[in-house]
Amino acid sequence: MRDNILHAAREVFARHGLSGARIDEIARRTRTSKRMIYYYFSDKETLYQAVLEDAYTRMRREEDALDLGKLHPVAALRELAEFTFEHHRHDTDFVRLVMIENIHEGEHMSRIKSISGQNSSAIALLEDIYQRGVEMGLFRRGLSALELHWHISAASVFNVSNRATFSHIFGDDIFTERGQQKLRRQVGDMILGIAMKPGLSAETDMPRAREEARMINPDIFRFLEVWDAKWATLTPEATAADRRVHFESIARDMRLPTPPDVETDEEHWIDSDGGPVRVRIFRHASGGSQPALIYMHGGAWMQGSPETHWDITARIAAWNKQTVISVDYALAPEHPFPAGYLQVLAVARWAHEKAAELGIDRTRIAIGGDSAGGNLAAAVALTARDEGIPMAGQLLIYPACDFDRSRPSYTENAEGPLLKVAGMAATNALYCADVAQLNTDPRIAPLAAQTHAGLPPAYVAVAQNDPLRDSGNAYAEAMKNAGVPVTIEPGEGLIHGYLRAMEYCPEAEIRLKEMAAWLDKTVNQNQRS
């Protein structure tokens, strides 16, 4: 009841101020009585102070959830600035309450001891970020955390407090979703511009303290401009289901022409312990008994499908004159581990059992995937080894092989592009909420397997500017140490998800052709010998 009263009172105070708010209206919104409100709060002023305290408590709680202490200071400062901008634009009542309290000269806030403590913790967080940046030689000396906090708040509050007058004078374009996303990014740029040493920039100097600055293939930025613009139309309140639908639409819109010699219409549904799973078959039109690749799409275990990764699977099928079995595995958070893993394992068994009907050679079946799909491919390859299911090769493209975010690549590439470190912990928890299992179960973290001996030959493609780079490299090294033939592609100048950029970045298509050539050679070598 108390929380309900605070929620209703917050809306009323934000719209009418302390003087204009009426307890009768608050009672009506809570479906309770004035007597009950006065039971919890002795008078209107006490209730108003409680609303202020609650508003600041909620914001600081959301700040704490960002876990900024684990991020590189440049990434952490940008994340805090952009978070504040996003928080204020979506929680307009918070800004209105701040404005109202300023009309009262901060009179009521001064009586709430906890608010001073809460804001002190916010300054301490900012101070930690700033000092780490100074020690790394990235941030200039002479600033204070309080000054940085002022600049962050100034831009974020103005965006809400002056929207009405700004819109009447200049129009609403800057307040569209795309306009707000651009402003959010610019606020991060502005704060970093204030903090960083002259001559340094977030783009060129964030990644490596003792190595050369990151070099990203310039063609990647042509892709990112289109990609980011399409995602900017999705609201921040979008659910996982909303994101999936949006991703499907973007992928369909950006899909390259399908090679004419690839058949794409065949689908199958396979029963599994994780529920029924759909697969789409990409088959070369030449017929005969073909080699096969079981492929799992990326998407953080939460989005994606055979249709979103059509360009990859269709081209492998065309270039290698083979069959690709693209798996539409179950997605989190509705279907966390082990649903997707069990479905992929069932598909691997099914492909071998039904090889003749599918027109594939069961001795030439490989497994692969990108990102989360690479994780599933590596995990199922381990189980296939243990169950005696023959696999001719593993194609692991920027895979997540463990969840150790202390690796250097997570710091160097915290801001991506495309994949950011800040949201990884929450995303991983949606796939598997048990942190101990997440880090020790080889069906989730393949690097945690007791042994990697006996696995099929592997091609591990990482990307230089990818947070997951060192996870993939560690897995490649573990397999090599266990005697597994491994080819490593370092992906110089490339980013996580670079295969999506083939239309804009010729280097991305070259990398996929090299993967396909390795796959063709590896799965066919026994037949040729």
Side-chain angles (χ1 to χ4, degrees):
M1 178 62 72
R2 186 180 188 279
D3 289 343
N4 199 17
I5 293 170
L6 282 174
H7 178 76
R10 176 176 176 141
E11 294 179 348
V12 173
F13 284 127
R15 277 150 185 76
H16 303 294
L18 175 58
S19 301
R22 297 289 179 265
I23 295 295
D24 286 334
E25 182 179 354
I26 297 171
R28 186 168 59 253
R29 290 186 180 219
T30 58
R31 296 182 181 178
T32 188
S33 64
K34 292 172 63 175
R35 179 180 178 184
M36 183 61 71
I37 292 175
Y38 288 130
Y39 172 79
Y40 286 103
F41 308 96
S42 57
D43 52 35
K44 187 170 74 169
E45 190 169 305
T46 301
L47 175 57
Y48 170 73
Q49 291 176 8
V51 166
L52 279 176
E53 182 178 18
D54 180 66
Y56 275 94
T57 298
R58 290 175 183 274
M59 181 179 178
R60 298 310 172 209
R61 190 181 299 143
E62 291 180 30
E63 281 180 347
D64 291 342
L66 296 175
D67 204 12
L68 298 178
K70 294 182 179 179
L71 293 184
H72 186 284
V74 173
L77 185 55
R78 177 183 290 282
E79 182 72 12
L80 182 59
E82 294 188 10
F83 159 80
T84 305
F85 183 89
E86 283 291 292
H87 173 276
H88 286 13
R89 85 178 182 99
H90 291 294
D91 192 354
T92 54
D93 284 352
F94 176 85
V95 177
R96 290 192 181 101
L97 288 169
V98 171
M99 294 165 64
I100 290 165
E101 183 58 12
N102 273 285
I103 291 173
H104 291 281
E105 301 290 341
E107 173 188 350
H108 305 92
M109 186 180 290
S110 65
R111 301 172 189 169
I112 308 171
K113 295 181 179 179
S114 63
I115 286 185
S116 177
Q118 289 167 2
N119 286 286
S120 295
S121 67
I123 298 301
L125 171 65
L126 195 47
E127 180 68 25
D128 174 71
I129 296 170
Y130 172 64
Q131 289 301 332
R132 287 193 289 120
V134 169
E135 291 169 6
M136 292 176 68
L138 298 172
F139 294 167
R140 62 190 180 94
R141 297 183 182 277
L143 295 174
S144 72
L146 190 61
E147 290 165 346
L148 290 173
H149 180 71
W150 186 93
H151 287 294
I152 293 171
S153 297
S156 302
V157 170
F158 182 93
N159 184 58
V160 178
S161 65
N162 287 51
R163 174 171 180 170
T165 53
F166 202 97
S167 296
H168 281 301
I169 298 171
F170 301 109
D172 286 329
D173 286 352
I174 207 166
F175 296 104
T176 63
E177 183 59 32
R178 182 173 184 178
Q180 289 287 281
Q181 290 297 328
K182 289 177 69 176
L183 281 181
R184 174 187 60 79
R185 181 73 181 179
Q186 288 166 7
V187 167
D189 291 339
M190 179 181 70
I191 299 305
L192 286 173
I194 293 170
M196 298 198 76
K197 281 185 173 181
L200 299 186
S201 72
E203 286 72 24
T204 58
D205 297 285
M206 189 201 88
R208 304 182 184 182
R210 291 183 295 273
E211 299 178 53
E212 64 182 9
R214 286 201 300 173
M215 296 298 292
I216 297 178
N217 188 310
D219 291 330
I220 288 293
F221 293 104
R222 296 171 55 221
F223 156 72
L224 288 173
E225 183 177 355
V226 177
W227 180 258
D228 291 344
K230 290 182 179 294
W231 275 103
T233 61
L234 187 68
T235 63
E237 297 83 6
T239 64
D242 295 332
R243 292 186 64 84
R244 286 177 207 139
V245 172
H246 197 71
F247 187 20
E248 295 288 337
S249 177
I250 292 174
R252 189 181 302 111
D253 186 47
M254 298 181 70
R255 184 183 297 170
L256 299 171
T258 302
D261 51 358
V262 175
E263 300 166 351
T264 63
D265 295 335
E266 184 179 349
E267 292 188 342
H268 296 272
W269 285 87
I270 297 100
D271 290 327
S272 81
D273 292 337
V277 55
R278 176 181 70 97
V279 299
R280 180 180 286 276
I281 307 296
F282 293 80
R283 181 172 172 81
H284 194 267
S286 59
S289 181
Q290 300 180 0
L293 171 67
I294 301 169
Y295 192 88
M296 277 64 67
H297 63 82
W301 301 280
M302 293 196 300
Q303 61 191 23
S305 69
E307 289 69 40
T308 61
H309 287 58
W310 191 291
D311 290 344
I312 298 171
T313 50
R315 275 154 184 74
I316 292 175
W319 295 337
N320 285 2
K321 295 185 177 180
Q322 71 168 93
T323 295
V324 179
I325 301 170
S326 190
V327 185
D328 191 19
Y329 57 87
L331 299 173
E334 296 89 343
H335 305 285
F337 175 85
Y341 161 83
L342 292 172
Q343 289 179 342
V344 175
L345 180 58
V347 171
R349 294 166 177 159
W350 170 82
H352 283 83
E353 293 169 2
K354 304 293 183 180
E357 297 175 27
L358 294 167
I360 61 177
D361 183 347
R362 69 186 308 273
T363 67
R364 293 188 290 159
I365 299 176
I367 193 166
D370 64 275
S371 194
N375 168 277
L376 287 166
V380 170
L382 286 165
T383 305
R385 173 201 63 184
D386 297 340
E387 292 188 3
I389 303 172
M391 288 291 177
Q394 304 174 80
L395 177 59
L396 309 179
I397 307 168
Y398 28 84
C401 298
D402 71 343
F403 301 91
D404 180 2
R405 297 197 304 281
S406 69
R407 299 185 186 280
S409 60
Y410 286 86
T411 298
E412 296 166 13
N413 306 303
E415 280 295 301
L418 201 138
L419 178 64
K420 298 180 184 294
V421 172
M424 282 186 178
T427 298
N428 297 340
L430 293 177
Y431 183 55
C432 177
D434 187 330
V435 176
Q437 184 181 20
L438 186 73
N439 288 287
T440 59
D441 190 332
R443 299 172 301 169
I444 306 173
L447 191 56
Q450 289 186 351
T451 177
H452 297 91
L455 286 170
Y459 188 104
V460 181
V462 298
Q464 180 184 10
N465 304 291
D466 179 6
L468 299 183
R469 181 195 69 212
D470 291 348
S471 180
N473 281 334
Y475 195 60
E477 192 66 26
M479 289 190 290
K480 286 176 66 176
N481 291 339
V484 177
V486 178
T487 298
I488 303 175
E489 164 51 49
E492 292 184 7
L494 298 175
I495 66 171
H496 188 85
Y498 65 78
L499 290 182
R500 307 208 68 85
M502 285 188 285
E503 181 179 3
Y504 304 89
C505 180
E507 187 68 20
E509 185 177 57
I510 291 171
R511 296 281 80 78
L512 183 59
K513 284 184 175 178
E514 290 180 352
M515 297 175 203
W518 174 89
L519 186 64
D520 181 58
K521 178 181 178 181
T522 300
V523 301
N524 289 313
Q525 62 184 0
N526 291 335
Q527 187 184 56
R528 290 167 180 157
S529 61

